[in-house]
Amino acid sequence: MTITRFAPAPTGRLHVGNIRTALHNWMLARKAGGKFLLRIDDTDAARSKEEYVEAIREDLAWLGIETDMEERQSLRLERYDAAFEILKAAGRIYPAYETQQELELKRKVLLGRGLPPIYDRGALKLSDEERAAKEAEGVAPHWRFKLDHDEPIEWEDGVRGKQKFDASQLSDPVIRRADSSWLYMLPSTVDDIEMGVTQVLRGEDHVSNTAVQIQMFTALYAAQFSAASGGANELPKFAHEALLVGREGKLSKRLGSLGCDAFRERGIEPEAIIALLARLGTSLPVEPIASRETLLETFDLSTFGRAPAKFDDADLDRINTAIVHQLGFADVSDRLPEGMGEEAWHAIRPNLETVGGAHDYWRIVTGPIELPDFSDEDRAYLSEAAAALEWNDNPWGALTSKLKDSTGRKGKALFLPLRQALTGQNHGPDMGDLLPVLGEEVARRRLERASDS
Ligand code: GLU
């Protein structure tokens, strides 16, 4: 059973980059008939907020990214403690006492010598006396995971292909702070094991974390942690997608602030976001595809490119407009103006950029409308139109062909005064579709009023 997860930290709203990761994980799970897990990474108690947890749930629901399960790291702290004790007993976790300043200095020295700033394992070199002295001074240690320099780190990445790391070129990661709070690395690994995650798909900023986490997985398997917990004991598949960048090619601040609320306010449909993000950065064409089945059929990690995916608001607007033109009445009825029915939706829909725009067009129907100054000639023409109006299943076609014959008018002279008299506008929905929505009585009244104006 495929299990994927989306693991946001509830320290802010979801932005377009997170939405993309969530979507792709959801698609992987749906396509495989598996499960999609929402994991709230809220070990950072100071920065995590309940309102963001709720916003994340709401945003996913609005996007139609249904979660099959939800977990919260803050409710699982004893599991991380258990893993910590097991790894410590296995000699894979060690205490370190350096201050932030000392570590910074070590980094600078290495960088100054042109060397990679890899942690020198100074804490491992402390004698028992030195360690006891630190403890006696009241220095609480932070904790590092000891990488095995002899264990090769390799995986076949679902997007990037074969990945290899040399553990000796990585720093032993700090996994727990001196106040015993958790950093991301170990809890995430514990969860992936215990929640049976089979596929980890995340941004390429996590590639080096994966290298480290692979050793955490294998250390936990070796220590029988997974057997004890009943979790997985086979590494998940890893895939790292290229990051999302703004049109200008950078990870702009604006991109990070583009969340569901901003999209919703702008009249962007969830299906437009889904259609764009499902394929952005892949070799498949980005098209206004409103059907998730269609998107799922073609979804395939092997189509994902290595180059950063460019997010352009103009693409989103274009797709949104095309999606709005496909929406059925049932999809939008609760967002339409009071009284606006299916016929009106179909008449107005081709003119809309957003569903919200229907409110402006509906005012054309409900009135009052503002008339332009008609010439005497046009007024006479409109009076003739009012008399010629006949109601059948194509009143506009009947009216205009009658007037064409009787007046000899054609083109703009034939149509524009009628449109103006009936809607108060020079442009707008197809009159053949709109006239039945106006109804006979309103149409006749408007033509008569314009002819008297
Ligand atoms: N909370 C982590 C993040 O948002 C999760 C990363 C992961 O998918 O493992 O970066």
Side-chain angles (χ1 to χ4, degrees), residues 5 7-9 39 41 184 188 192 200-202 205-206 213:
R5 88 291 196 281
R39 187 184 86 200
D41 280 8
Y184 150 80
S188 180
D192 286 338
V200 172
L201 169 62
R202 54 191 174 190
D205 49 332
H206 283 287
Q213 285 176 326

Side-chain angles (χ1 to χ4, degrees), residues 216-294:
M216 291 184 181
F217 276 101
T218 51
L220 285 167
Y221 298 149
Q224 303 285 307
F225 173 77
S226 53
S229 69
N233 60 8
E234 201 182 302
L235 280 180
K237 292 196 190 101
F238 291 96
H240 297 85
E241 48 187 6
L243 296 182
L244 202 60
V245 294
R247 195 165 41 128
E248 60 294 352
K250 293 191 302 258
L251 253 180
S252 64
K253 260 229 178 88
R254 215 180 91 65
L255 206 56
S257 68
L258 275 181
C260 287
D261 48 345
F263 289 135
R264 203 171 342 186
E265 273 163 35
R266 214 169 93 202
I268 301 292
E269 298 297 313
E271 296 310 333
I273 300 172
I274 301 289
L276 177 62
L277 294 182
R279 290 187 169 185
L280 197 65
T282 74
S283 56
L284 301 168
V286 172
E287 288 167 349
I289 298 171
S291 148
R292 297 213 181 189
E293 282 68 43
T294 308

Side-chain angles (χ1 to χ4, degrees), residues 15 80 108 114 120 129 150 158 180 191 200 244 278 314 339 349 375 404 437:
H15 58 69
Y80 312 142
K108 282 203 179 124
D120 64 0
E129 293 77 54
D150 298 323
S180 84
D191 288 347
V200 172
L244 202 60
R349 185 176 72 168
S375 65
K404 192 174 173 192
V437 175

